[in-house]
Amino acid sequence: MDLARTEVTKSRSRAGFGLGSAARLGLMALPVAFFAVFFAYPVSAIVARGLHIGGVWRFGRVAEVLGQSDIRHVLWFTTWQALASTALTLLIALPGAYVFARFDFPGKQVLRAVVTVPFVLPTVVVGTAFLALIGRGGLVDELWGVRLDTTVWAILLAHVFFNYAVVVRTVGGLWSQLDPRQEEAARMLGASRWTAWRTVTLPALGPAVAAAALMVFLFTFTSFGVVQILGGPAYSTLEVEIYRQTAQLLDLPTAAVLTVVQFAAVGLILAVHAWTVRRRESALKLVDASAVARRPRGAGQWSLLGLVMATVVLLILLPLGVLIQRSFDGPDGFGLLYFRELTSAEGGAFLVPPIEAVWNSLHYAIVATAIAVVIGGLAAAALTRRAGRLVRGFDALLMLPLGVSAVTVGFGFLITLDEPPLDLRASWILVPLAQALVGVPFVVRTMLPVLRAVDGRLREAAAVLGASPLRAWREVDLPMVRRALLIAAGFAFAVSLGEFGATVFIARPDNPTLPVAVARLLGRAGDLNYGQAMALSTILMVVCAVSLLLLERIRTDRTSGEF
């Protein structure tokens, strides 16, 4: 009798799983349609318009563009600075990953939030912070009394500032789950500390380090806001050059070629990243996750903790502090002059007072967050059960907006979404749609680990009791992932607030967003414009920082390596 009951249960579970597979394809429908209409269509239209000229595909244009010396210089600088930024980030951030993984000390959670703040800051604010530190009239300029050519170092350090948390959270999350007794056993067998770490810990950390390095390389390879503000005409990445060719020179064929080159490079990076993530997941099954962080012991460990805290102060807090200081440092001394001037439109840079950019950005970000949560939540639910190539391809599709030129997407919106039934060029919804494209990957990456951690037997039990897949997800999964959903919404809100590459094209002059307003003020001469840019950047930084601190308080898994 028990055997028969068991077989019935297995049969019903298999039936439930089959329905779940069909439902998963149904859940994928809306995200796929969203990405097809608002991502694939605009990008392909830009490429087609650039390479399909006079009814003929001019693929020979690719060789012509790549043969130009200035384009080769852009390609070289893009690759070189991404490699250098990645290496420098790993060098500086790996000690921090170890400290957060192995040490327990007062203020650890606050410090974790502090190091994550730069990642959710808009790239325009990051560029502005380092401009205040190293650029014109910056702190370095004042201390040395001479203008130093620090452009390249400013770009590299800004990228380290921006991506420090990627390494700390990705590598540190795995490091905290490695059993320290394995390394201790190697030392008891006569291995030195370095040999034990190299032969035991490093191979286990390898996939996580590789995944973090690839993500840092991806973000720096496609860098736009930081290089746009700090680089000037002598230093351009592919993304900056695409913007220049599109917006300033109106050379769509060249921009299309560069878009194809960047798309191919990003596709390769994401393919390698997916492979490293799969290796990481298989490695996690082999480790003991019961290791507990302890207070530092001995002079060496306390020195390492002090080094990491000094790095956080100099690399993260100092640029942000200088940014704040510049926003209050007016011509008549410290005061609120630049903040008061944000309420006036007399400067001519805007049709409306710059302060309205704050409300515009909040409005757009709220709508973009709602879209990203719906699309990303459905996508994460569809990806909950690991499957074959179709689902893996869908997962890769969701990551593409992080690497494909946002400039291309924004310009593509203007030339494709201008006819019924999608005549949106004059509509305010265009900005939140572009911002949601960037927010969806963060929603998926935040919710997916939690959804996959839900015991599948609970879903099977619900199926056996007659619940449909949708009802099982609503009553089993949703209560367990509610807090993760809030975190995902918070990250989507922060990244939507700071999106710049696409909105620089589609934000209307009478409704600018904060990043667009900051960039426009920095592009105009005069101390007043510069001070207003610093004030707006400070406001944007505070909003993002508050959002991150709230997220840190409700984060469910303190050792998770996912954002």
Side-chain angles (χ1 to χ4, degrees):
M1 190 69 177
D2 291 338
L3 179 61
R5 188 179 294 110
T6 301
E7 290 301 322
V8 171
T9 301
K10 288 182 177 179
S11 176
R12 290 179 178 178
S13 297
R14 285 194 294 268
F17 181 79
L19 287 173
S21 298
R24 180 169 63 244
L25 294 177
L27 291 171
M28 291 168 57
L30 183 59
V32 168
F34 178 80
F35 275 81
V37 174
F38 297 113
F39 178 69
Y41 178 41
V43 171
S44 60
I46 285 290
V47 173
R49 182 164 296 198
L51 297 181
H52 193 256
I53 304 174
V56 179
W57 286 97
R58 301 183 182 275
F59 294 108
R61 180 65 178 166
V62 176
E64 295 176 9
V65 171
L66 298 182
Q68 299 174 16
S69 59
D70 56 338
I71 298 299
R72 289 200 303 270
H73 174 74
V74 169
L75 290 171
W76 163 247
F77 178 73
T78 301
T79 306
W80 174 86
Q81 63 83 25
L83 289 171
S85 297
T86 302
L88 193 60
T89 302
L90 289 175
L91 179 65
I92 294 176
L94 281 176
Y98 175 78
V99 165
F100 281 104
R102 296 296 189 181
F103 293 169
D104 185 21
F105 53 90
K108 180 178 178 179
Q109 299 308 324
V110 174
L111 192 64
R112 187 195 297 273
V114 168
V115 302
T116 311
V117 165
F119 185 76
V120 298
L121 282 180
T123 55
V124 170
V125 173
V126 175
T128 306
F130 278 83
L131 185 68
L133 180 64
I134 301 178
R136 58 185 183 190
L139 184 63
V140 173
D141 188 2
E142 292 180 356
L143 291 178
W144 269 268
V146 60
R147 183 67 181 273
L148 302 175
D149 187 9
T150 55
T151 303
V152 174
W153 276 109
I155 293 173
L156 296 182
L157 289 175
H159 284 157
V160 175
F161 169 94
F162 188 74
N163 294 292
Y164 185 89
V166 175
V167 177
V168 167
R169 286 187 175 251
T170 304
V171 180
L174 178 59
W175 211 333
S176 65
Q177 299 177 56
L178 297 181
D179 189 348
R181 292 174 295 183
Q182 298 177 8
E183 188 173 322
E184 293 170 1
R187 296 197 63 196
M188 290 181 63
L189 294 174
S192 65
R193 183 181 296 273
W194 163 250
T195 302
W197 184 85
R198 180 175 54 84
T199 58
V200 177
T201 305
L202 183 59
L205 287 176
V209 174
L214 284 167
M215 289 309 297
V216 173
F217 184 84
L218 173 65
F219 291 139
T220 53
F221 187 84
T222 58
S223 180
F224 177 57
V226 167
V227 180
Q228 174 80 351
I229 290 176
L230 294 175
Y235 302 95
S236 292
T237 56
L238 268 173
E239 186 85 354
V240 175
E241 187 63 20
I242 291 171
Y243 173 76
R244 191 176 76 91
Q245 296 289 340
T246 302
Q248 299 177 6
L249 302 181
L250 301 180
D251 188 350
L252 279 185
T254 299
V257 170
L258 297 180
T259 297
V260 171
V261 171
Q262 181 167 306
F263 186 84
V266 167
L268 178 61
I269 295 169
L270 290 178
V272 176
H273 179 263
W275 176 71
T276 61
V277 167
R278 288 197 296 273
R279 283 190 60 198
R280 178 185 171 193
E281 289 179 346
S282 62
L284 283 174
K285 298 176 183 178
L286 303 176
V287 301
D288 182 359
S290 62
V292 179
R294 62 180 185 270
R295 293 183 67 84
R297 293 180 297 187
Q301 292 187 353
W302 281 107
S303 297
L304 180 59
L305 176 59
L307 176 63
V308 170
M309 297 189 74
T311 301
V312 171
V313 170
L314 293 175
L315 179 67
I316 297 176
L317 295 182
L318 179 61
L320 296 180
V322 173
L323 173 65
I324 296 172
Q325 181 263 334
R326 288 288 187 270
S327 68
F328 288 98
D329 190 8
D332 300 323
F334 283 92
L336 299 175
L337 171 65
Y338 296 137
F339 290 90
R340 286 196 299 267
E341 289 296 326
L342 295 177
T343 61
S344 172
E346 294 180 0
F350 302 94
L351 300 178
V352 295
I355 193 63
E356 290 197 14
V358 177
W359 316 119
N360 293 335
S361 290
L362 292 174
H363 173 229
Y364 291 146
I366 290 171
V367 177
T369 300
I371 297 172
V373 167
V374 172
I375 300 298
L378 291 173
L383 293 169
T384 299
R385 294 188 182 97
R386 297 175 181 85
R389 294 181 179 177
L390 176 63
V391 173
R392 289 200 297 269
F394 177 58
D395 195 6
L397 170 68
L398 299 174
M399 294 290 290
L400 282 178
L402 294 181
V404 173
S405 171
V407 170
T408 301
V409 174
F411 192 61
F413 271 30
L414 291 182
I415 68 171
T416 57
L417 304 179
D418 61 345
E419 297 179 356
L422 288 175
D423 187 4
L424 303 176
R425 190 161 54 178
S427 173
W428 63 270
I429 196 66
L430 210 58
V431 174
L433 287 171
Q435 294 173 339
L437 282 172
V438 183
V440 167
F442 289 92
V443 174
V444 174
R445 295 271 76 81
T446 303
M447 293 188 62
L448 192 55
V450 181
L451 284 170
R452 284 179 173 170
V454 176
D455 192 341
R457 291 173 296 182
L458 296 176
R459 301 189 190 99
E460 293 174 357
V464 169
L465 293 174
S468 67
L470 180 60
R471 183 178 178 185
W473 186 88
R474 185 178 69 246
E475 298 187 4
V476 175
D477 294 61
L478 185 58
M480 297 184 178
V481 302
R482 187 175 290 113
R483 295 179 71 187
L485 187 62
L486 292 175
I487 295 171
F491 273 117
F493 178 80
V495 298
S496 299
L497 202 63
E499 204 288 322
F500 176 60
T503 52
V504 72
F505 275 98
I506 58 181
R508 295 168 54 179
D510 57 340
N511 286 291
T513 63
L514 270 170
V516 172
V518 170
R520 192 177 301 174
L521 286 168
L522 287 174
R524 297 173 64 90
D527 291 338
L528 181 59
N529 289 317
Y530 181 77
Q532 287 180 294
M534 297 295 167
L536 276 180
S537 296
T538 299
I539 293 173
L540 191 50
M541 179 193 69
V542 170
V543 174
C544 290
V546 170
S547 301
L548 199 281
L549 289 171
L550 292 176
L551 293 180
E552 191 66 25
R553 290 182 63 87
I554 64 174
R555 193 163 56 90
T556 55
D557 183 3
R558 297 293 178 181
T559 62
S560 174
E562 299 284 352
F563 278 91

